[in-house]
Amino acid sequence: MAAARGERVLRYGVGRDCDVRPEDGMWLDVPRDGARAWVVDIVCPTAEGIRVRLGEMNLPPGSWVAVYPADMPAAFSAGPFEGQGPFNTGEVWTPTSAGERVRVEFRCRGEACPSSLPFRITRVQHVYRDPTRGFLDQPCYRDVTCSPSWAAVAKACAGIGFVGQNAMFCSGQMLNTQAGDHTPYLLTAAQCINTASIAQTAEVYFDNKTGQCDGIAPSLGLLPRAVGCSLLSASTAHDSTLLMIEGSLPPNRAWAGWTTALVPFGQAAGSVHFPENQPARLSLGFRVPGAVCGGPEYLGVDWTSGPTGPGSAGGGLFLDNASKSLVGVLSCGSSACGSPGSNGFGSLAAFYPLVSGLLQAGTDDGFEPNDSCRSPAAVVPGTWTGLIVKDVSEDWYTAEVPPGGTFAANLSFVHAHGDIDVELFTDCEQVAVAASTGTTNVESVQWTNTSSTPIGVTLRVYLDSDVRNTYAMTITIGTPPGQGACCLASGACTVTGPASCAAAGGVYAGDGRSCQGTCYTASYVGPLVPIADGTLTCGPAAVATVSINENVRIAAVGAGFRILHPYQGDLRATLRHVPTGIDVTMVDRPGVPQTPFGFPNDNYGASVTNLFVSLDDAPTVYDLPVVGMDNVAGPWKSEGVLNTFAGMAAQGNWQLRVEDCAAGETGSIAAFTLIVAAAPTCYANCDGSTGQPALTANDFACFINLYAAGSSRANCDGSTGTPVLTANDFQCFLNKYAQGCS
């Protein structure tokens, strides 16, 4: 394809098979850190540089492989690589190491040292010409440094080395988004890169220009570069490719502006490119009618100064006016040294419909906007993948840590794609209580709340280098030993021990249980329900009914109530689970049969908010030898065992049934609250199915229905802001579904 287009793509290295076996290297002990290292040198005589293909990579945790110039062992030129490499494909082409000899080093410790090498070296690229200097005896090309008005454009332009069968070279430029959010887009020609695998081999050289007009270019080892791209869109019809640079972007970058407006004939224009591996060169000319080459939508340009050459493909066409806006990428033509000629450019306006969404703004994750301590995203224990942090958009998260509880955040990412660091605050105006600023593929922070009250923490995720990176994050919030969720009649939940929970009138969900998705209450506060007077036998039961809508299993149950009646000893109060018809008696005529008529005191519960609460965990039954009291409230041990309901489905109607079992007085039910602590469950099993597989499409439909109904159970991320239910809850549910049920 390159020849048909006038040799716009340049070969600068030759691929050679190179089957390196374990016995070709040697194992060495590294005493200072207790590690072992396998090393081998690869020599390509007379080479300007070498690129190495590492394949079938599956490195054990704690081990890594790196490639560097053999005469510079202190400086890694490539790596260290971990796991299956930066793209998780098990393959990587290392960036160019200068010189004719490179060293491959694999390092491991203890059990991480396998019996055989967890990677293969099968091919190298013998780079026979410096990709940043070329042959400097080509005075026909115009040095961009001699034209100061083009300096800003040149800052955005880059040379691109990539690997097919051989090492090839093209030109390209960073392309701005309409949002100006520093997304590292790189525009080049599709004849250069049009597959994801080749994009991953891209080595992008920046600032390759002379220090003064017609001066000397910097050498390979001195240029900043980024390694590895992902393919976003490629069109051979428009000879245009949009890439995302994944490797860590050097600082002080510039992005080219662009326009899709019509370029009139006669419009002055210029192109910055890197012919024959030269430093940045400039061609100047004007738009001409007709297709110089390529398709009818291509932009034809006649040059008046400065030709193009091999390696110029992908170089941008910019309007030669104050805007210097990009309008196309160099594709084909006859221009060459000694004959400036003309070139055809793939039109950005024609390519734009394929990338319009991308060029509006770089993608971000569902937690946005969470760019500052003032607007953090609420998180609960769980794992999220595909999160994105940018240099212009930090990520902030918040969570509540119970007394004695421990908060931990673990982030995993590719360090070579940008250095992510984290800090944890209890007060954003104060010094961080924990931080992690390492140089590996993980960052972790942990903090324990040693106070007696819950404390909110705020997690900051930011880039120490580069402009963008993706990461996965796991949040855990451990409850203290012997503590768990305590469900209160008010609907609140705290984390405490079982005795403290009972003393507060709460239902204890169990050790280690968090409040998320654990507590459910249902209350009756309506018209008074009359209690018919009894005779020699109990009268008909007065009934107050509540309903639990959530499909959860029961860990524990409690009930609070206020009953207006002048003689407590007349009454029996029972809790009924209507779907099963099972009854548990909570209060049964206190003081009877020890005395003929029982307690003569007024009322159960002091008010509709200060109830008599019946629990299994309370220490004392309200009966003799307890002394009766008017308006008795607070926690009391149930006469029957409320744990009878454990394991049942909570969903459905529940009844407080009150009988008057003696003659003389009447009363009424004024309030009734059911408290349910749900058993541990798999959140993603929304429909509560018990078959296999447990998770099906029905669970998605269930969650969508809960969300549409505004159910608190759809608040997967536990957020407390307004609105409570957001797109984050969908992402949270997807993450939990992906984790499965264990």
Side-chain angles (χ1 to χ4, degrees), residues 137-222:
D137 57 352
Q138 299 287 357
C140 62
Y141 296 116
R142 176 173 176 152
D143 187 355
V144 74
T145 307
C146 301
S147 302
S149 65
W150 286 85
V153 171
K155 184 73 174 176
C157 298
I160 309 170
F162 55 95
V163 177
Q165 284 297 108
N166 300 304
M168 310 300 288
F169 192 88
C170 280
S171 302
Q173 44 279 315
M174 301 285 289
L175 201 62
N176 210 352
T177 64
Q178 291 173 312
D181 60 2
H182 291 183
T183 301
Y185 288 149
L186 183 70
L187 184 68
T188 187
Q191 64 181 287
C192 303
I193 298 174
N194 55 35
T195 68
S197 59
I198 292 180
Q200 292 170 7
T201 73
E203 185 172 19
V204 186
Y205 295 95
F206 295 99
D207 299 342
N208 185 15
K209 59 186 182 63
T210 59
Q212 60 185 21
C213 181
D214 293 326
I216 298 175
S219 63
L220 169 63
L222 298 179

Side-chain angles (χ1 to χ4, degrees), residues 366-372 375-379 395-399 717 719 728:
F367 280 114
E368 288 294 321
N370 62 326
D371 302 335
S372 72
S375 58
V379 290
D395 289 346
W396 291 75
Y397 305 94
T398 186
D717 66 358
S719 61
N728 292 342

Side-chain angles (χ1 to χ4, degrees), residues 241-465:
T241 289
L242 186 65
L243 305 170
M244 173 92 78
I245 297 177
E246 300 291 356
S248 186
L249 199 66
N252 303 317
R253 292 301 92 222
W255 281 258
W258 49 272
T259 180
T260 58
L262 177 69
V263 181
F265 300 132
Q267 170 67 53
S271 179
V272 177
H273 50 98
F274 302 86
E276 301 187 62
N277 299 125
Q278 299 285 305
R281 298 312 193 205
L282 175 65
S283 299
L284 295 175
F286 54 90
R287 168 88 195 276
V288 295
V292 170
C293 56
E297 295 177 328
Y298 277 46
L299 303 175
V301 177
D302 280 353
W303 301 122
T304 57
S305 175
T308 64
S312 296
L317 179 66
F318 300 88
L319 301 180
D320 191 1
N321 55 25
S323 73
K324 294 292 192 292
S325 296
L326 182 140
V327 293
V329 292
L330 198 151
S331 175
C332 54
S334 60
S335 181
C337 276
S339 176
S342 59
N343 283 116
F345 288 79
S347 167
L348 179 63
F351 182 50
Y352 181 73
L354 302 179
V355 294
S356 58
L358 295 169
L359 293 183
Q360 288 179 13
T363 55
D364 216 324
D365 57 64
F367 280 114
E368 288 294 321
N370 62 326
D371 302 335
S372 72
C373 188
R374 293 184 296 275
S375 58
V379 290
V380 295
T383 298
W384 292 266
T385 59
L387 302 179
I388 299 170
V389 62
K390 306 177 183 180
D391 66 334
V392 296
S393 177
E394 295 181 348
D395 289 346
W396 291 75
Y397 305 94
T398 186
E400 185 174 86
V401 185
T406 298
F407 173 92
N410 296 282
L411 278 68
S412 59
F413 53 96
V414 178
H415 180 80
H417 292 175
D419 183 13
I420 296 178
D421 290 333
V422 295
E423 293 179 328
L424 187 68
F425 299 86
T426 55
D427 183 342
C428 294
E429 302 299 324
Q430 303 297 322
V431 176
V433 296
S436 181
T437 57
T439 56
T440 66
N441 291 341
V442 296
E443 300 287 358
S444 301
V445 290
Q446 181 173 301
W447 177 80
T448 299
N449 178 7
T450 58
S451 76
S452 59
T453 59
I455 292 179
V457 294
T458 306
L459 181 72
R460 177 194 179 205
V461 180
Y462 65 99
L463 282 165
D464 186 60
S465 65

Side-chain angles (χ1 to χ4, degrees), residues 500-568:
S500 297
C501 181
V507 175
Y508 189 63
D511 291 353
R513 295 292 306 283
S514 71
C515 286
Q516 175 65 22
T518 298
C519 298
Y520 301 91
T521 59
S523 296
Y524 175 88
V525 182
L528 297 178
V529 180
I531 303 171
D533 193 14
T535 56
L536 295 177
T537 59
C538 298
V543 177
T545 302
V546 297
S547 182
I548 295 292
N549 297 320
E550 286 75 16
N551 184 18
V552 295
R553 297 283 167 180
I554 298 169
V557 167
F561 46 83
R562 175 161 166 78
I563 300 173
L564 305 177
H565 197 283
Y567 212 97
Q568 294 172 356

